[in-house]
Each structure stands twice: as structure tokens, then as C-alpha cells.
Amino acid sequence: MNRRSVVFGLGALGLSACAAAPVATTPNGVRIYMIDPADEGAIQFRVLDGVNALRQSAGLRPVQLNARLNAAAATHSRDMSLQNRPWHFGSDGSSPLDRGRRVGYEGRIVGEAISETFETELQTLTAWVSQTDTRAVIMDTKATDLGFAWFQEPNGKIWWTMVLGQSA
């Protein structure tokens, strides 16, 4: 993928983030993105659109949301919060492959991107695309399916998980 594709893709993400995000401010003035549970579908589709804009700019086929991968991502986001650390292993030692199997995903897990932050989903996606390892997952030519979910703690911290898979 060339530099122009990345710049174009990140620009597309920026434009899609123009909708006002619900923000809370802590007593010391820190702005925190607060997620309304009613916005779950809209958030997932914003990420899907952002990922597909990036993939299209690189000449790759689009991915589609997969309910089973969404479930695997949601489980892992909550588990990372309980462990209080962003990493790819569940508290029971499970891997992204294990979590995909547990939810009945019949395809092959291509990769997973995770984050612990107070930022929006599109800021998080932009950060992932800026890193070589997570960009490689998002831009994997074999990917056909995407799962995306999060868990937000009462203090506003968000644990994001994106799982990409290849249909069986």
C-alpha cells in the first residue's frame, strides 16, 4: 500500500468522524468520549465504513460485519477490562482463535486489534492504521469478515476489540 492510500484513507476517516461525539468532562478538565448503548449499531457501521474506505483505497475487497465475530470482540473487550490490561489472551488463557470457535465462527481468524483508551472508535481506528502490525491485520487480503465491539467502564475508559476473519 502506498503512502497516498494511507493519507486518503485517514482523510476519509476524519470526514466520517465529523458527527458530534458525546463527551463528558472530568473534574480536572479531561474530555472523555461517552458511548450511548443505543449507538452500538451506528458505531459498528462507522468502523466498518472506515475500514472499507481504507481497504478500497488500497484496492482490497471490502469486509462485512459478522455477528459472531462481534460477539467474540465484545467478550474480549469486557475480559480485558476485568484483567485491567490490553492483551490478546483471555483471563482463561484463550486466544482470538479460541474465542472465534466459542462463538461458532466457522471461518479462519485473520487477526485481532485491541486498545485501551478514552478516544472514539474512529480515533482508535486511525491509531491502529498508524501502526504497522495492526494495519497489517486491517489490510489483510484474506479478510472477509469483521467483528467490532467495546466495553466502557464507568470512569469512561474504553476497551476496543476488532477481529477480522476469512469466511469458510
Side-chain angles (χ1 to χ4, degrees):
M1 173 170 68
N2 66 31
R3 188 174 188 82
R4 185 179 304 189
S5 296
V6 171
V7 170
F8 172 77
L10 291 176
L13 284 178
L15 289 175
S16 64
C18 288
V23 175
T25 305
T26 65
N28 60 356
V30 176
R31 293 171 46 97
I32 299 171
Y33 176 55
M34 298 302 294
I35 299 174
D36 182 338
D39 292 335
E40 178 179 8
I43 290 169
Q44 287 175 323
F45 279 103
R46 272 197 298 273
V47 169
L48 177 68
D49 289 346
V51 166
N52 282 334
L54 291 163
R55 291 176 63 84
Q56 180 182 17
S57 71
L60 301 174
R61 69 179 169 202
V63 293
Q64 62 185 358
L65 275 178
N66 181 284
R68 293 177 191 264
L69 292 181
N70 286 344
T75 298
H76 191 56
S77 292
R78 183 172 187 79
D79 191 46
M80 286 190 296
S81 171
L82 293 171
Q83 295 180 72
N84 196 33
R85 62 178 167 182
W87 73 327
H88 295 284
F89 295 98
S91 56
D92 61 356
S94 63
S95 70
L97 302 173
D98 298 325
R99 291 187 294 275
R101 275 189 234 114
R102 285 182 187 161
V103 297
Y105 183 68
E106 295 179 359
R108 184 178 80 74
I109 300 296
V110 171
E112 180 180 72
I114 58 172
S115 181
E116 163 197 21
T117 186
F118 291 95
E119 296 181 327
T120 70
E121 65 279 357
L122 295 177
Q123 290 169 321
T124 300
L125 180 56
T126 300
W128 285 338
V129 172
S130 299
Q131 299 296 316
T132 304
D133 57 343
T134 48
R135 182 177 55 243
V137 170
I138 293 166
M139 305 304 279
D140 192 303
T141 59
K142 295 179 292 298
T144 58
D145 299 321
L146 179 136
F148 182 77
W150 63 90
F151 178 78
Q152 186 164 34
E153 296 178 357
N155 67 5
K157 183 188 289 186
I158 308 168
W159 301 84
W160 300 105
T161 303
M162 176 188 290
V163 183
L164 283 108
Q166 179 182 20
S167 297

